[in-house]
């Protein structure tokens, strides 16, 4: 066994905590400035990404190089005729090459990969991901894959935030904060919903919500939204009419009952979306087919489905983001319950096949599409059965959008606030909240994982289903520490020390008479009697500890232990000056921290 013999100077350094941490921690004002920079980049990124999609879409569908595209308006049929079926296939092959060659983590809808980096990679996302994700997702969306543009901008923003923080060598929690700020800023700019971006980062990404994490996210999202609005205008993603729920009147019982029904139905739909997407990804991944062959099969199916909708309903509908169909439903242009239900099923199938076969894009926009069509269908049925109750397709399409986003992602507040920011209509809040809550409850009753976490769980990299405040971290060191320690001189022989302690339970702190110089846990050292007889405690002592004050909370203790790579904390009641042996009051080790965690969750 190799042992470390601490010198007096090393011991003094340990005692005074003078060592510089490997990473730096900046104060909150500096973090806000860094978040401002992240917000600017995310806002500009959202603008560039939108123009890139427009150029690729116009070229792929119409053979023209044109940076302008209104995604909320139906475009004319492509001059390629039935050849449009091959456009998603060609685009998909390019996407597979980009992803396979440069950044495999750019595959899929992006958010699970961001969550994986937060919980399993210390917040590290490679810079190349932002570039590859931009190109791959723009090509996927522009050539007709049934995916959204918010997932890519989330991964693009988070990639920049992580890369920026790593370049500045920030500590882990600040790196994750800038990563989350970039993601929230991206989604805020994409939908022109700053509050929704803040809540998305808080509900989905941030492991901790506090002043030090929340304020940088707010600054980044506000900045990105301002940048986007300055360049692109103040309109939200969808133009929503204000004649749904009658203004000046309380929401009536029929509206609330139908909103509850929407919640139940969409909760079941969200469950189907979560399971079907996971199944599609597994089927393609387990097929043992070449990735290019997988993509050809998947995108050919999507192309055929889009062309069939053109022949039967007049538009491609399920291809690309589908904003034009959502806007049409919100405008009251589609009032056939059967067509709305068919659009829901078509989008569900097209999205799962697109992502399963290797497309790069998000699930937020498809969720809005599915919610609008399914909610709208329920609105049509409700209006038919109760013609005098002011039940409109538009109202329940909006409610359905929120319920589907909330049900599939578990982000209840994000769904509610984003829909409110899109509609700017407070009258719809009550039925919307009811529907979103029921949808999430129904889906969670059927499957605990949501559209983001199920992918990580199935790959053996789960994150907490319920991310709550770690209350055990507010405990004081005095509440957590143990007192079964013995203070012995470092000059004492190991043989003599063994006569004075119980090696299974007692922990030994060694001193030079004036200072704490080492720590010994005999129960962790293989016993070698012939060797120990020739050694002193100083010879086998370790400096694997920090000095903590009795008044420190456990969060402070654990943070310092983690930064310095230590496994134990010696607790003293002398908060200032060099700790003396007589100041020692307890010890905190891995066992005590584990016990605190268990008691917090199960005690």
């Amino acid at each position: 066994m190799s042992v470390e013999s601490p010198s007096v100077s090393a011991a003094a350094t340990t005692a005074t905590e003078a060592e510089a941490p490997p990473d730096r921690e900046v104060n909150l004002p500096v973090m806000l400035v860094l978040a401002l920079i992240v917000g600017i980049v995310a806002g500009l990124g959202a603008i560039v990404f939108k123009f890139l999609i427009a150029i690729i879409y116009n070229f792929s569908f119409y053979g023209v190089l044109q940076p302008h595209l209104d995604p909320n308006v139906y475009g004319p049929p492509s001059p390629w005729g039935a050849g449009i079926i091959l456009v998603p296939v060609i685009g998909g092959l390019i996407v597979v090459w980009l992803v396979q060659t440069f950044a495999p983590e750019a595959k899929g809808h992006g958010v699970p990969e961001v969550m994986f980096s937060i919980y399993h990679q210390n917040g590290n996302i490679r810079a190349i991901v932002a570039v590859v994700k931009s190109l791959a997702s723009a090509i996927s969306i522009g050539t007709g894959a049934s995916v959204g543009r918010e997932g890519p901008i989330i991964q693009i923003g988070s990639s920049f935030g992580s890369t920026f923080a790593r370049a500045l060598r920030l500590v882990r929690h600040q790196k994750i904060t800038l990563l989350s700020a970039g993601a929230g800023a991206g989604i805020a700019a994409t939908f022109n919903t700053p509050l929704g971006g803040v809540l998305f980062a808080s509900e989905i990404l941030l492991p901790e919500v506090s002043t030090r994490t929340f304020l940088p996210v707010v600054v980044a999202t506000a900045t990105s939204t301002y940048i986007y609005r300055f360049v692109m205008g103040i309109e939200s993603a969808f133009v929503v009419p204000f004649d749904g729920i009658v203004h000046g009147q309380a929401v009536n019982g029929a509206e609330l009952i139908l909103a509850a029904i929407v919640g139940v139905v969409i909760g079941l739909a969200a469950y189907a979306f979560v399971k079907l997407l996971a199944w599609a990804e597994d089927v393609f991944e387990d097929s043992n087919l070449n990735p290019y062959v997988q993509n050809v099969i998947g995108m050919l199916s999507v192309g055929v489905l889009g062309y069939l909708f053109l022949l039967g309903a007049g538009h491609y509908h399920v291809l690309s983001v589908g904003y034009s169909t959502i806007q049409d439903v919100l405008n009251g242009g589609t009032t056939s319950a059967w067509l709305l239900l068919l659009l829901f099923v078509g989008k569900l199938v097209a999205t799962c096949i697109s992502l399963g076969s290797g497309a790069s894009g998000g699930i937020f926009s498809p969720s809005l599409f599915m919610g609008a069509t399914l909610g709208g269908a329920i609105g049509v049925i409700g209006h038919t059965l109760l013609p005098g109750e002011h039940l409109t397709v538009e109202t329940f399409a909006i409610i359905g959008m929120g319920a589907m986003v909330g049900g599939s992602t578990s982000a209840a507040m994000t769904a509610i606030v984003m829909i409110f920011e899109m509609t700017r209509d407070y009258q719809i809040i009550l039925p919307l909240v009811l529907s979103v809550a029921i949808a999430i409850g129904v889906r969670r009753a059927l499957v605990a994982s949501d559209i983001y976490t199920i992918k990580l769980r199935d790959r053996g990299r789960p994150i907490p289903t319920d991310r709550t405040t770690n209350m055990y971290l507010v405990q004081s060191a005095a509440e957590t520490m143990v007192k079964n320690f013995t203070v012995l001189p470092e000059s004492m022989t190991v043989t003599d020390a063994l006569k004075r302690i119980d090696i299974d339970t007692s922990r030994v702190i060694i001193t030079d008479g004036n200072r704490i110089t080492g720590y010994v846990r005999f129960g962790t050292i293989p016993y070698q009697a012939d060797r120990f007889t020739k050694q002193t405690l100083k010879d086998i002592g370790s400096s694997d500890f920090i000095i903590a004050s009795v008044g420190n909370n456990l969060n402070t203790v654990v943070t310092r232990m983690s930064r310095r790579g230590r496994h134990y904390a010696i607790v003293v009641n002398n908060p200032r000056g060099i700790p003396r042996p007589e100041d020692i009051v307890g010890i905190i080790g891995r066992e005590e921290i584990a016990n605190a965690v268990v008691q917090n969750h199960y005690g």
Side-chain angles (χ1 to χ4, degrees):
M1 179 189 72
S2 63
V3 295
E4 181 180 358
S5 300
S7 64
V8 174
S9 60
T13 299
T14 300
T16 58
E17 300 287 311
E19 291 183 8
D23 294 314
R24 70 179 72 174
E25 182 173 11
V26 299
N27 57 32
L28 184 57
V30 174
M31 277 294 291
L32 297 183
V33 173
L34 299 179
L36 180 71
I37 297 171
V38 170
I40 292 172
V41 173
L44 294 174
I47 295 168
V48 171
F49 188 55
K50 183 175 182 179
F51 280 123
L52 186 60
I53 292 172
I55 293 171
I56 295 173
Y57 184 90
N58 287 327
F59 182 75
S60 300
F61 277 71
Y62 305 111
V64 296
L65 289 174
Q66 170 60 256
H68 176 73
L69 173 68
D70 187 349
N72 292 17
V73 177
Y74 288 125
S78 171
W80 316 141
I84 197 69
I85 294 172
L86 297 178
V87 169
V89 177
I90 297 170
L93 292 174
I94 299 173
V95 169
V96 172
W97 178 79
L98 284 171
V99 171
Q100 292 283 320
T101 305
F102 300 106
E105 55 268 60
K107 178 183 177 182
H109 48 105
V111 177
E113 286 70 28
V114 174
M115 298 173 79
F116 175 78
S117 72
I118 291 173
Y119 286 92
H120 297 290
Q121 292 185 320
N122 297 318
N124 295 324
I125 302 178
R126 296 189 300 152
I128 189 66
V129 173
V131 178
V132 175
K133 190 70 176 181
S134 300
L135 291 173
S137 297
I139 293 170
S140 285
I141 297 169
T143 57
S146 181
V147 291
R149 60 190 174 103
E150 76 298 323
I153 198 61
I154 287 170
Q155 201 166 10
I156 293 165
S158 61
S159 174
F160 174 75
S162 173
T163 302
F164 189 34
R166 281 187 288 120
L168 297 174
R169 294 179 58 249
L170 298 185
V171 294
R172 180 184 179 189
H173 76 85
Q174 293 186 330
K175 181 166 45 177
I176 291 174
T177 298
L178 288 184
L179 179 158
S180 302
I187 200 168
T190 298
F191 287 104
N192 230 333
T193 54
L195 291 178
V198 171
L199 290 171
F200 179 85
S202 301
E203 284 191 288
I204 300 297
L205 300 179
L206 286 174
E208 167 210 342
V209 179
S210 63
T211 301
R212 70 177 188 174
T213 61
F214 187 74
L215 290 183
V217 171
V218 170
V219 169
T221 54
T223 303
S224 69
T225 306
Y226 174 78
I227 295 292
Y228 190 87
R229 288 180 178 181
F230 182 80
V231 177
M232 307 299 292
I234 63 172
E235 291 297 328
S236 59
F238 304 106
V239 179
V240 180
F242 290 92
D243 56 354
I245 293 177
V246 178
H247 290 264
Q249 298 181 9
V251 179
N252 63 40
E255 290 164 342
L256 288 179
I257 290 173
L258 196 59
I261 293 173
V262 169
V264 173
V265 173
I266 289 192
L268 296 172
Y271 164 74
F273 186 27
V274 170
K275 297 296 287 185
L276 186 59
L277 178 57
W279 177 81
E281 289 177 330
D282 290 341
V283 166
F284 279 101
E285 192 171 303
D286 297 340
S287 66
N288 295 322
L289 294 174
N290 181 281
Y292 293 95
V293 175
Q294 292 180 32
N295 196 265
V296 168
I297 294 173
M299 299 317 298
L300 188 64
S301 303
V302 172
V304 169
L305 191 59
Y307 186 65
L308 290 176
F309 268 104
L310 174 69
L311 297 179
H315 301 286
Y316 296 111
H317 284 303
V318 298
L319 297 185
S320 196
V321 292
Y323 286 0
S324 54
T325 301
I326 297 173
Q327 188 64 64
D328 186 43
V329 175
L330 296 180
N331 290 339
T334 303
T335 57
S336 167
W338 286 111
L339 177 58
L340 289 168
L341 290 172
L342 189 61
L343 287 170
F344 164 77
V345 174
K347 193 66 172 179
L348 174 65
V349 172
T351 301
C352 293
I353 292 177
S354 294
L355 290 170
S357 62
S360 178
I363 56 86
F364 212 95
S365 295
S367 295
L368 291 173
F369 184 110
M370 288 184 271
T373 52
L374 187 54
I378 296 173
V380 170
I381 296 170
H383 176 73
T384 302
L385 297 178
L386 301 169
E389 296 294 340
H390 305 292
L391 305 177
T392 66
V393 177
E394 299 91 327
T395 296
F396 290 95
I398 294 169
I399 293 171
M401 289 164 68
M404 191 67 185
V405 169
S408 58
T409 66
S410 295
M413 290 304 299
T414 300
I416 293 167
V417 171
M418 286 191 71
I419 297 301
F420 174 64
E421 286 186 289
M422 289 179 186
T423 63
R424 302 181 181 130
D425 182 8
Y426 191 75
Q427 290 291 108
I428 206 169
I429 286 293
L430 183 56
L432 176 63
V433 169
L434 176 64
S435 188
V436 170
I438 292 175
I440 294 176
V442 170
R443 193 227 75 220
R444 289 198 62 162
L446 298 172
V447 57
S449 299
D450 55 48
I451 200 79
Y452 297 141
T453 60
I454 193 169
K455 181 176 181 179
L456 299 177
R457 186 204 68 184
D458 290 348
R459 283 154 179 74
R461 292 288 187 164
I463 66 169
T465 302
D466 295 301
R467 294 181 291 278
T468 57
T469 301
N470 295 317
M471 295 300 295
Y472 73 94
L473 291 176
V474 303
Q475 296 180 22
S476 68
E479 294 178 276
T480 311
M481 68 186 186
V482 293
K483 302 177 181 179
N484 59 330
F485 65 90
T486 303
V487 179
L488 297 175
E490 62 180 20
S491 59
M492 178 179 285
T493 65
V494 174
T495 302
D496 289 339
L498 292 174
K499 297 176 182 177
R500 297 183 53 177
I501 63 169
D502 182 344
I503 64 171
D504 293 323
T505 60
S506 184
R507 308 169 195 207
V508 175
I509 299 170
I510 59 176
T511 75
D512 62 2
N514 295 315
R515 298 186 181 188
I516 302 166
T517 58
Y519 176 88
V520 179
R521 182 72 186 274
F522 280 100
T524 65
I525 301 174
Y527 180 65
Q528 301 178 35
D530 58 334
R531 179 181 177 186
F532 282 178
T533 57
K534 301 176 183 178
Q535 289 183 317
T536 64
L537 292 178
K538 180 179 179 180
D539 295 327
I540 66 170
S542 170
S543 60
D544 183 23
F545 66 90
I546 66 165
I547 299 295
S549 169
V550 71
N552 289 148
N553 62 31
L554 194 55
N555 181 69
T556 300
V557 174
V558 171
T559 299
R560 287 165 57 195
M561 289 170 63
S562 174
R563 286 183 191 170
R564 301 191 58 194
R566 305 293 196 250
H567 293 93
Y568 297 95
I570 297 176
V571 184
V572 300
N573 60 13
N574 180 16
R576 296 178 183 177
I578 298 176
R580 304 294 181 183
E582 59 269 21
D583 296 325
I584 302 171
V585 293
I587 296 176
I588 297 175
R590 288 166 291 185
E591 300 93 330
E592 288 69 51
I593 296 172
N595 288 337
V597 173
V598 172
Q599 290 174 7
N600 173 68
H601 289 285
Y602 305 107

